[in-house]
Amino acid sequence: MPRPTLTIGLANYGSTYAADEWHRFVDLARAAEDAGVDRIVVVDHVVMGRHTENYAWGKFPVPPEAPWLEPLIVLAAIAATTTRVRLATGILIAPLRPAALLAKQAATLDVLSGGRLDLGVGTGWQREEYDAAGLDFDQRGQLLSDTLAACQALWRDTPAAVDTPTVAFTDIFCAPQPRQPGGVPLWIGGALHRRNLERMVRWGDAWIPIMGASLAEISDGKQRIEAAWKGEGRDPARLQVQAPLRVERGGDGRPDLPRSMATVPELLAAGATDVHVTLRAFNADPADAPAVLAEVVRRFGDAVA
C-alpha cells in the first residue's frame, strides 16, 4: 500500500498577510515544500455575498469583504518557485468556470508544474456566486457533472466531443493536454450521495468527504466507492481519500498540535490515505510557519511509521 500523504492547507484568503504583502504567500508555500509536505491545497470563492450565515459548517472564517486570491493563479505562482510538492484545490467551485476554459487553465498549470496538479472540485454552497456568474444555483450538480465530462474529454481526446445538458461541442482541439497520463486527477468533494458516487465512478480519482464527516462516514464512504469502482472494472487500490486532521484542544482551550497529530492513526484506520492539516488552525503568524510545518511533518512521519 502506498505511503499515506500529508496535505497542508494554506489560507489564500482573509488576513493571512497585509494588503501589500500577499507576495509572501509563495514563500509560505516554499517553506511547506522545504519541510517535506506532500501537497499544498488552497480554496476557492470567486465572489462573496453578504449572507455568510448560510454557511452550514459553523461560523464562516472571514467577512464577505475579505480578500480571496484566485486559487489557480496562486498555484501557478507557487509552481514557479517549487519543484516537488503537489498543488491542489480543495475545493474549486468548478461550475463557476466555463468548462473549456477550466480545462485549458488546469492543463496549462499541470504542464508548467511538471505534472503536479490535483484538482479538487465541488459545487460550493453560496447562491450569490452563481447569481453573479449568471448561472442557476439549483442546477449546480448538473453543471458540475457536465464540466467534469468536458474537462476529461478535452484532456484525453484530440479532437474532443461532448454532448451533455449544459455543455456540448464536437471536433474541438485543446492543447496542451495535461502532463499527467489520463489528465489532471479529479478529487471529488462533498457528501457521498448518489450523484457524487456516480461522479466518483465516472471521473473521480479521490474523494474529499464533506466537512464534519465522522470516522464511520469516511470508512463507509470509502467502502462504497471501492465496491462501485470494482463493479466498473476500476482498481479500488488506487482510490485516495482525504480526511481533515481532528483538531484537539489543550487545557487552555487553544488548538494543541501534538494532541491533534496523535489522531492521525485513527484517520488512517478509517480509510484515509491523505491527511489535511490546516496551517491556520495552529499558527496565526506566518513568520512561525517553518517551525510549525517542520513539527507537523515530523509528527506525521512518526504517526505513519
Side-chain angles (χ1 to χ4, degrees):
M1 178 178 294
R3 179 185 68 87
T5 53
L6 172 65
T7 291
I8 291 290
L10 301 182
N12 54 313
Y13 58 86
S15 59
T16 302
Y17 287 107
D20 61 346
E21 293 187 330
W22 273 101
H23 62 280
R24 293 176 55 200
F25 193 82
V26 175
D27 299 331
L28 185 60
R30 192 163 52 243
E33 177 173 77
D34 292 344
V37 169
D38 297 298
R39 182 179 292 102
I40 291 169
V41 64
V42 292
V43 293
D44 183 35
H45 274 295
V46 176
V47 293
M48 290 297 300
R50 290 188 180 277
H51 296 289
T52 57
E53 74 275 6
N54 293 330
Y55 184 68
W57 300 277
K59 182 180 179 181
F60 197 67
V62 293
E65 69 272 17
W68 207 291
L69 302 187
E70 202 286 325
L72 295 178
I73 295 176
V74 167
L75 292 179
I78 294 171
T81 61
T82 57
T83 60
R84 178 196 57 79
V85 69
R86 293 196 65 82
L87 313 170
T89 57
I91 52 92
L92 185 85
I93 309 172
L96 296 180
R97 287 129 172 117
L101 178 59
L102 177 58
K104 169 69 78 173
Q105 290 175 318
T108 300
L109 180 51
D110 198 59
V111 169
L112 292 178
S113 67
R116 290 189 281 147
L117 180 61
D118 292 319
L119 198 64
V121 296
T123 59
W125 57 271
Q126 185 183 206
R127 181 178 293 273
E128 291 91 335
E129 279 189 289
Y130 282 80
D131 293 342
L135 299 169
D136 185 352
F137 180 73
D138 295 328
Q139 291 295 311
R140 62 194 183 279
Q142 186 67 59
L143 289 165
L144 175 60
S145 294
D146 297 350
T147 297
L148 300 185
C151 283
Q152 280 212 336
L154 291 165
W155 293 337
R156 179 190 63 228
D157 302 330
T158 304
V162 160
D163 184 10
T164 71
T166 65
V167 182
F169 52 76
T170 59
D171 203 33
I172 292 297
F173 297 81
C174 186
Q177 292 178 316
R179 175 80 173 270
Q180 298 177 82
V184 175
L186 292 171
W187 293 51
I188 310 295
L192 199 63
H193 48 66
R194 177 186 59 82
R195 294 191 72 178
N196 253 354
L197 182 58
E198 291 174 355
R199 293 183 189 111
M200 280 300 312
V201 172
R202 295 187 64 182
W203 306 295
D205 298 282
W207 177 43
I208 306 173
I210 194 71
M211 287 179 285
S214 67
L215 295 177
E217 289 168 332
I218 293 171
S219 178
D220 176 70
K222 182 180 184 182
Q223 293 176 41
R224 290 173 59 201
I225 297 170
E226 288 176 334
W229 274 24
K230 188 174 182 179
E232 294 296 322
R234 297 188 62 181
D235 182 3
R238 297 180 65 86
L239 174 65
Q240 296 189 71
V241 177
Q242 185 178 91
L245 184 72
R246 268 39 181 175
V247 178
E248 299 289 336
R249 298 184 181 275
D252 58 1
R254 300 177 62 183
D256 185 295
L257 181 57
R259 291 179 61 183
S260 298
M261 293 302 296
T263 69
V264 167
E266 298 175 8
L267 298 174
L268 301 181
T273 63
D274 178 82
V275 176
H276 178 180
V277 179
T278 302
L279 186 62
R280 189 184 182 103
F282 301 101
N283 174 37
D285 186 353
D288 298 329
V292 175
L293 288 164
E295 183 177 0
V296 169
V297 170
R298 177 178 61 80
R299 292 185 180 277
F300 183 78
D302 292 343
V304 303

